[in-house]
Amino acid sequence: ASTLGAAAAQSGRYFGTAVAASRLGDSTYSTIAGREFNMITAENEMKPDATQPQRGQFTFSSGDQIYNWATQRGLQVRGHTLAWHAQQPGWMQNLGGSSLRQAMIDHINGVMAHYKGKLAAWDVVNEAFNEDGSRRNSNLQGTGNDWIEVAFRTARAADPSTKLCYNDYNIENWSYGKTQGVYNMIRDFKSRGVPIDCVGLQTHFTGGSSLPGNFQTTLQNFAALGVDVALTEVDVTNASTSQYAGLTQACLNVPRCIGITVWGVRDSDSWRASENPLLFDRSGAKKAAYTSVLNAL
Ligand code: XIL
């Protein structure tokens, strides 16, 4: 195969990228994005601050721009994200207790109703754990420890057709407190019938040339709980070819690793632009890391 998406499809997987609505008018950008990838995540446009800037007033113009751009090209879309401590609209940041709990439920219902039946998956909850495996202190956590399962139950009822994911960073190394914290929550959810279908490992790698310890074991162990796994926001300091090849191979080695998404197209598009962490350089040329991924798929 000659594109990342087609190569991933050979094993029934997808290869995706994050897209920013503001860049779609750049033809170099949109040409690469439309050619190489078959799964699209909105980099910011489906987050709470974008979709409900004022309480009760939902706006989907930027999210829909990305959704329409993708589906016109036959590409699938992942939803990102519904409940998160960051990128909340101002009105939500100032809420707590039962009114924030209700606002979270209303937000999930409002956004999921708009995209009902249209998305491959939703990152229902994003980044809810501390590095040591305890729950992150946030206004959402302050509404009660059950806020995550309430979010997932609400999401399942709102759109039974989409896969519901928990998404986080620094859960790639099996011997890490945060990985264990998330693992224990997923195990608990599965044992009690809380609806959850997938775990997203953001896979923001920050140096070195080898993978975090037992990365593939982490994927296998999550999958063994009965959920799909996906690498959802991949970027790698200096685009280490060995790390890019290794993370791709690890996903391919785990049957329930369903796909890989890189967090942007060119290095200049990245939120970590100074680290040149992506697969295309600033001119849109394929980097060595691109070839290492394509060859591994
Ligand atoms: C980042 C975007 O890339 C930036 O444009 C924005 O300013 C901040 O958010 N984890 C996530 C993503 O789940 O939503 C974040 O995206 C990167 C870290």
Side-chain angles (χ1 to χ4, degrees), residues 14-21 29 37-47 63 66-67 69-70 75-81 119 121-123 167 231-233 260-264:
Y14 63 80
F15 207 101
T17 188
V19 154
Y29 177 87
F37 302 100
N38 50 17
M39 183 69 78
I40 299 297
T41 306
E43 188 174 359
N44 290 296
E45 293 81 351
M46 296 187 191
K47 291 173 179 176
I66 292 177
Y67 177 83
W69 177 91
L75 319 178
Q76 291 187 271
V77 180
R78 296 186 84 254
H80 175 79
T81 181
L119 303 183
W122 262 111
D123 292 329
N167 193 54
L231 312 187
T232 51
E233 303 182 13
I260 300 173
T261 294
V262 289
W263 204 241

Side-chain angles (χ1 to χ4, degrees), residues 4-296:
L4 298 168
Q10 292 170 359
S11 67
R13 294 177 173 81
Y14 63 80
F15 207 101
T17 188
V19 154
S22 61
R23 296 184 195 274
L24 286 172
D26 172 340
S27 63
T28 305
Y29 177 87
S30 58
T31 298
I32 297 169
R35 180 188 71 217
E36 293 288 339
F37 302 100
N38 50 17
M39 183 69 78
I40 299 297
T41 306
E43 188 174 359
N44 290 296
E45 293 81 351
M46 296 187 191
K47 291 173 179 176
D49 58 351
T51 51
Q52 198 183 173
Q54 305 298 330
R55 189 165 193 177
Q57 292 179 15
F58 290 88
T59 59
F60 299 107
S61 46
S62 301
D64 285 354
Q65 200 186 331
I66 292 177
Y67 177 83
N68 292 333
W69 177 91
T71 53
Q72 282 160 9
R73 287 162 178 75
L75 319 178
Q76 291 187 271
V77 180
R78 296 186 84 254
H80 175 79
T81 181
L82 296 167
W84 190 20
H85 69 276
Q87 290 183 270
Q88 294 181 359
W91 64 266
M92 189 183 283
Q93 294 171 30
N94 296 325
L95 294 183
S98 58
S99 74
L100 177 59
R101 175 64 62 93
Q102 191 58 49
M104 178 189 82
I105 292 168
D106 293 345
H107 183 76
I108 292 169
N109 282 328
V111 177
M112 290 190 80
H114 181 77
Y115 289 109
K116 190 173 183 181
K118 295 180 165 182
L119 303 183
W122 262 111
D123 292 329
V124 177
V125 171
N126 200 32
E127 301 181 348
F129 281 79
N130 291 317
E131 301 305 294
D132 68 359
S134 60
R135 288 288 187 87
R136 180 193 291 269
N137 185 22
S138 71
N139 60 347
L140 289 164
Q141 182 65 27
T143 70
N145 205 50
D146 61 343
W147 73 275
I148 299 179
E149 69 181 87
V150 168
F152 277 89
R153 291 187 197 279
T154 303
R156 180 68 94 220
D159 183 358
S161 75
T162 191
K163 287 185 176 173
L164 307 180
C165 303
Y166 177 80
N167 193 54
D168 214 330
Y169 64 95
N170 286 351
I171 57 169
E172 293 85 20
N173 186 329
W174 179 245
S175 312
Y176 195 60
K178 192 176 187 174
T179 310
Q180 294 299 311
V182 173
Y183 178 84
N184 288 332
M185 179 186 73
I186 307 297
R187 187 174 56 186
D188 171 57
F189 280 12
K190 295 301 285 186
S191 75
R192 291 190 296 111
V194 179
I196 185 164
D197 306 306
C198 34
V199 174
L201 295 89
Q202 293 185 8
T203 320
H204 295 295
F205 287 168
T206 54
S209 55
S210 54
L211 297 178
N214 302 313
F215 180 66
Q216 188 177 312
T217 299
T218 303
L219 299 180
Q220 274 158 356
N221 287 347
F222 275 122
L225 294 176
V227 289
D228 290 339
V229 294
L231 312 187
T232 51
E233 303 182 13
V234 176
D235 47 25
V236 175
T237 304
N238 298 322
S240 159
T241 53
S242 56
Q243 285 184 324
Y244 262 114
L247 69 87
T248 303
Q249 190 60 58
C251 182
L252 263 71
N253 288 346
V254 175
R256 289 197 79 159
C257 183
I258 61 172
I260 300 173
T261 294
V262 289
W263 204 241
V265 178
R266 301 162 299 193
D267 288 332
S268 47
D269 303 316
S270 171
W271 72 313
R272 300 170 61 193
S274 66
E275 297 174 75
N276 298 315
L278 294 174
L279 301 178
F280 293 86
D281 72 15
R282 279 149 209 271
S283 71
K286 295 169 181 172
K287 295 167 61 178
Y290 172 96
T291 308
S292 75
V293 169
L294 188 68
N295 290 342

